[in-house]
Amino acid sequence: MLTIDFERLRSIGMTPALVQHLLALLAEDQPDPAQRLVRVAEVHRETVTLHDGLAESSARVLPRVLRDLAEAETGLAVGDWVLAQPDAHGAWWLHRHLTPLRHVARRDADGRRHPVVSNADTALLVMGLGDDFNLRRLERYLALVHASDLVPVIVLTKADVASAAEIESAIGGMRARFAASLPLVIVDARSPDAAAQLAPYLGAGQTAVVLGSSGAGKSTLTNTLIGAAVQDTGAVREHDSRGKHTTTARSLHCLPGGACVIDTPGLRALRPDADEAALALSFGDIESLALDCRFRDCRHGDEPGCAVRAGVAPDRLRNYHKLLREARRDTMTVLERQQQVAQWKARGRAGHARAKAKREVS
Ligand SMILES: Nc1nc2c(ncn2[C@@H]2O[C@H](COP(=O)(O)OP(=O)(O)OP(=O)(O)O)[C@@H](O)[C@H]2O)c(=O)[nH]1
Ligand SMILES: [Mg+2]
Ligand SMILES: [Zn+2]
């Protein structure tokens, strides 16, 4: 029977809830006594970096594990807990992927699901004050985080270079759209003060993932939290503050206070893997106001007596509807998607035929 060395694994994010979850998984299917419980710190093309609480080592993944994950429409993610074992030559192999307690995934433009991170407790949503600040993007990140049951903390960086007006308008915009209970910190990501402000969210054993667009200051903040320049950081473009995608892979780091942080590359376009129910949760204000609309099937368009239109920023409502449309498209089965494409094509053909007939008549 596999024992969990809680003290050793706590430095890489083991929590009591995880122990319970993992023991339940392992009880169903007892592992080989030679296997060790470790955490995925990096995922590369051919190998993974595993952390055992003391040191990191490189390992290859059994093809069977990759096949099973692909079949489940997912893949290995930084933060996953796994079982690994050395072969006769001393080379480490990842033998078993343990279903994560929490998992963040995103969708690409084709609706395919991609893993982001596993077993994180908190998401630090990093956004630069100034050109990077964008409420719609923040709303998308919040939908992603709510769908995966992480605690969101909004981290607005570059407070040292932002004007008072920029800071005020950012706070005002957030207050108009989000619940006042949403945690918000405003920092210079390079200053140790940022670590102090985030300390309440980074208790021993906790795992935080930093998310945000390129140039927002995710790696800068990661370095400040670690207390050393471990991650490369890069300059941003002068005219729009956009980053140059300096970080290219996700990586897990231990912090001096006993928490872990996962640095991630800035995503170009974020499409959360959130279904309608998760979105309804993230946009709870809209859902509860909708109960007061005059019509039960109100679409919050131009119906009279619409409580949603009266109480929600129009841009937030538009963003919600856009995310809902994407979610419906993403959750369509392959067959449904094929049928939709066929329908579009048929409509296109009918349109062509009509246009042709018209030309021939005139
Ligand atoms: N003045 C100031 N500069 C910051 C702050 N945060 C980040 N920067 C600078 O912004 C630039 C981009 O920071 P990074 O940490 O590399 O950004 P990133 O989010 O990791 O970007 P990618 O890795 O490309 O996704 C660097 O030049 C940082 O020094 C801040 O709070 N204040
Ligand atoms: Mg970075
Ligand atoms: Zn309505």
Side-chain angles (χ1 to χ4, degrees):
M1 149 126 198
L2 187 112
T3 52
I4 296 182
D5 183 347
F6 186 70
E7 276 317 305
R8 183 162 55 82
L9 298 178
R10 199 152 96 117
S11 67
I12 49 168
M14 184 60 74
T15 63
L18 263 168
V19 171
Q20 216 169 24
H21 169 73
L22 296 177
L23 285 178
L25 279 179
L26 295 171
E28 287 165 20
D29 187 0
Q30 282 292 328
D32 187 309
Q35 296 186 354
R36 297 192 56 187
L37 180 62
V38 293
R39 197 167 191 197
V40 176
E42 285 169 30
V43 177
H44 306 286
R45 200 176 287 273
E46 303 283 329
T47 61
V48 289
T49 303
L50 302 176
H51 204 310
D52 68 0
L54 296 173
E56 287 185 344
S57 54
S58 182
R60 279 183 286 168
V61 186
L62 286 190
R64 171 177 50 75
V65 174
L66 293 174
R67 230 178 10 247
D68 288 352
L69 284 167
E71 231 160 71
E73 255 197 281
T74 182
L76 276 176
V78 169
D80 271 325
W81 288 94
V82 298
L83 296 178
Q85 184 179 338
D87 64 17
H89 310 284
W92 282 86
W93 288 86
L94 194 163
H95 276 248
R96 186 162 157 203
H97 172 258
L98 299 167
T99 310
L101 191 57
R102 288 199 195 85
H103 180 73
V104 179
R106 65 179 182 89
R107 301 269 188 170
D108 63 19
D110 299 328
R112 265 192 300 267
R113 190 187 282 124
H114 297 274
V116 179
V117 287
S118 289
N119 300 309
D121 305 286
T122 305
L124 305 179
L125 304 182
V126 182
M127 198 169 266
L129 285 156
D131 293 336
D132 187 43
F133 187 79
N134 180 315
L135 284 163
R136 298 186 124 214
R137 185 154 15 92
L138 202 48
E139 235 154 39
R140 287 187 161 254
Y141 276 102
L142 279 170
L144 176 84
V145 167
H146 283 134
S148 355
D149 196 26
L150 270 64
V151 176
V153 179
I154 313 291
V155 184
L156 300 182
T157 58
K158 313 198 182 183
D160 53 304
V161 285
S163 67
E166 276 172 332
I167 296 179
E168 208 160 292
S169 111
I171 295 177
M174 289 191 47
R175 289 293 168 249
R177 261 161 115 124
F178 308 129
S181 56
L182 184 66
L184 163 68
V185 297
I186 297 177
V187 299
D188 170 356
R190 301 161 310 166
S191 150
D193 184 54
Q197 284 201 62
L198 287 170
Y201 309 102
L202 298 170
Q206 293 290 295
T207 300
V209 55
V210 289
L211 298 170
S213 48
S214 179
K218 298 179 299 299
S219 301
T220 305
L221 185 68
T222 299
N223 285 341
T224 300
L225 295 173
I226 299 171
V230 172
Q231 291 292 90
D232 283 341
T233 61
V236 297
R237 295 200 305 217
E238 190 77 31
H239 64 283
D240 60 2
S241 304
R242 287 243 196 145
K244 295 164 182 164
H245 295 277
T246 308
T247 307
T248 54
R250 304 179 182 100
S251 57
L252 179 117
H253 306 269
C254 301
L255 305 182
C260 303
V261 66
I262 298 172
D263 189 13
T264 69
L267 297 169
R268 267 164 235 274
L270 173 73
R271 187 144 160 190
D273 179 29
D275 60 13
E276 287 184 46
L279 286 174
L281 217 77
S282 198
F283 290 84
D285 52 337
I286 295 180
E287 291 294 315
S288 61
L289 277 172
L291 300 174
D292 294 331
C293 289
R294 184 176 310 161
F295 301 111
R296 254 221 284 165
D297 58 351
C298 185
R299 299 169 63 94
H300 324 308
D302 49 14
E303 295 92 338
C306 174
V308 170
R309 241 176 29 246
V312 173
D315 192 50
R316 177 166 166 81
L317 184 59
R318 267 198 301 275
N319 208 15
Y320 180 42
H321 283 147
K322 183 148 187 270
L323 281 160
L324 269 179
R325 278 196 303 275
E326 286 179 7
R328 289 190 185 128
R329 208 162 42 224
D330 287 342
T331 48
M332 273 196 286
T333 61
V334 174
L335 193 69
E336 286 167 337
R337 218 172 293 161
Q338 281 169 352
Q339 280 170 347
Q340 189 182 54
V341 170
Q343 234 171 35
W344 284 339
K345 278 192 185 153
R347 243 182 261 160
R349 271 199 301 276
H352 277 305
R354 266 198 309 278
K356 191 163 171 240
K358 233 174 165 180
R359 273 200 305 276
E360 282 166 358
V361 168
S362 59

